[in-house]
Amino acid sequence: MTTETPIDIDAAWAAFEARDRAADGRFVVAVKSTGIYCKPSCPARHPRRENVSFYRDPTEARDAGFRACLRCKPDEVGRDRVAVANAIALLEAAEDAISLEELAAEVGYAPHHFHRLFKRATGVTPAAYHRGLRATRVAHALKEEASVTNAIYEAGYSAPSRFYESGAKRLGMTPSAWRQGGAGVTIRWTIADTSLGKLLIAATDKGLCRVSFDEDALDLAKHFPKAEIVPGGAALGDLAARVVAKVESPDRDQNLPLDVQGTAFQEAVWQALRDIPAGETRSYGELAAIAGSPKAVRAVGSACGANHVAVVIPCHRALRSDGSMGGYAYGVDRKTVLLDREGVK
């Protein structure tokens, strides 16, 4: 027999006060003075805290004698999640991209409303989610198949031309180079001094592929064993300076070019991290919900650990649900300093 984790009342109240959409579907808020229950993001005026109680889902709230709010319609959260899940299933089964209009019609929503709903649930648009799925399949297939052509067919493309039309750009390097561990790709690197220590900065012609503290060219070669690793020199100077500025002032929006790849879920988490305004943080649970998998809290931690570009993708803004620091690949002391520089208290 399993015991369900109790609702964290203080965290639930904080989410309700902030009208946090990421908390929708995780619990409902019942108001004793009105007899109704709402989703956490309900735009109605907030009641006093002593008049509020929290339930896991609408069924529990109804069993306790409350009725659904007609303004925020909390019962529809479940319907929304089912619609997103059905849309993901359709995208996973599709060879060609499905138009937003077709996808929304299949799950019973208006296109613009479903576009917002899907992005809120997964962190990416339906089109971006489909591209991520296909590119991930190709990446795995390129490691397993004997030829690039076989890998392309294995990933579900009807012809190589279809892959090159939509998938090749997504990989950041040619399919052959990807399959061979970066063979033929040139990565330029430099070591920069920062107030937080030595920083390795490495980039392909497309963008940054590795930004890490306490590493050097030997560590870089372990991550990209088949690539040509060369000193950056003047070709990397301007980009490196912008990365250092980002470390010293992590609240700056440098819009730095990236050449990193991950699974669709990892990239949804990374995008969610980049969407966090400077000076704010999100819990691992909130990031999991934004990425479309509310229960995948540990997977969010893994996605942060798989982040190749420290500070640029700001995984230092991810905290535990109790507000504590949690882990950080380059030490909690550095994480604390980065958050202090952004004004997080």
Side-chain angles (χ1 to χ4, degrees):
M1 180 177 178
T2 58
T3 301
E4 293 184 338
T5 303
I7 296 174
D8 185 331
I9 302 300
D10 290 336
W13 174 256
F16 180 47
E17 275 196 311
R19 294 185 171 88
D20 185 0
R21 288 183 179 274
D24 291 350
R26 293 161 54 189
F27 59 85
V28 295
V29 186
V31 184
K32 301 172 185 176
S33 56
T34 61
I36 66 171
Y37 63 89
C38 305
K39 59 187 180 183
S41 66
C42 183
R45 182 179 178 181
H46 284 152
R48 294 182 178 181
R49 185 166 182 175
E50 59 264 27
N51 290 329
V52 167
S53 56
F54 299 96
Y55 295 92
R56 297 181 190 284
D57 54 45
T59 299
E60 282 193 2
R62 287 195 296 270
D63 288 346
F66 295 92
R67 65 185 186 279
C69 173
L70 296 177
R71 184 170 183 181
C72 70
K73 300 179 180 179
D75 293 349
E76 292 188 2
V77 174
R79 175 176 174 256
D80 291 347
R81 290 185 182 277
V82 170
V84 171
N86 289 340
I88 287 173
L90 290 170
L91 292 170
E92 288 179 341
E95 175 186 335
D96 297 321
I98 304 175
S99 72
L100 175 62
E101 291 73 18
E102 291 174 317
L103 191 64
E106 285 286 341
V107 296
Y109 282 75
H112 293 299
H113 176 63
F114 187 68
H115 186 273
R116 292 193 298 271
L117 177 67
F118 190 96
K119 186 171 183 180
R120 186 169 69 234
T122 66
V124 294
T125 66
Y129 191 93
H130 185 256
R131 289 194 299 270
L133 286 171
R134 299 299 298 278
T136 300
R137 290 173 188 164
V138 173
H140 288 309
L142 285 167
K143 293 177 181 178
E144 300 294 333
E145 295 296 321
S147 74
V148 172
T149 300
N150 288 344
I152 290 171
Y153 283 119
E154 181 65 24
Y157 289 90
S158 60
S161 60
R162 302 302 296 275
F163 166 70
Y164 286 102
E165 287 171 3
S166 60
K169 293 179 181 178
R170 172 66 174 64
L171 291 175
M173 60 182 73
T174 67
S176 293
W178 181 278
R179 178 170 59 84
Q180 296 168 19
V185 175
T186 298
I187 297 178
R188 294 178 173 82
W189 66 276
T190 189
I191 302 291
D193 289 316
T194 77
S195 59
L196 296 182
K198 301 287 186 181
L199 185 70
L200 170 72
I201 301 169
T204 67
D205 291 339
K206 296 182 179 295
L208 293 163
C209 61
R210 185 77 182 170
V211 175
S212 54
F213 291 100
D214 305 327
E215 290 189 347
D216 57 22
L218 292 177
D219 297 294
L220 183 63
K222 293 177 184 177
H223 290 288
F224 303 97
K226 298 296 181 66
E228 181 184 6
I229 309 294
V230 300
L236 196 56
D238 178 66
L239 184 57
R242 292 168 63 194
V243 174
V244 171
K246 183 72 173 174
V247 172
E248 304 305 335
S249 300
D251 55 338
R252 292 189 183 188
D253 182 10
Q254 292 282 5
N255 193 27
L256 296 163
L258 300 180
D259 188 2
V260 293
Q261 295 88 32
T263 66
F265 179 79
Q266 286 174 334
E267 293 196 1
V269 172
W270 296 342
Q271 185 57 52
L273 288 165
R274 299 189 82 186
D275 288 341
I276 301 173
E280 297 184 17
T281 61
R282 297 289 184 269
S283 71
Y284 292 114
E286 289 171 328
L287 290 167
I290 293 170
S293 299
K295 296 182 179 180
V297 177
R298 289 187 178 180
V300 169
S302 296
C304 289
N307 173 19
H308 275 274
V309 285
V311 185
V312 183
I313 293 177
C315 54
H316 60 273
R317 294 176 186 165
L319 302 179
R320 289 175 176 163
S321 59
D322 61 3
S324 61
M325 285 291 173
Y328 188 58
Y330 307 106
V332 173
D333 288 345
R334 284 186 174 120
K335 183 173 185 175
T336 302
V337 172
L338 290 168
L339 291 174
D340 285 345
R341 289 176 178 175
E342 293 188 15
V344 176
K345 302 299 182 184

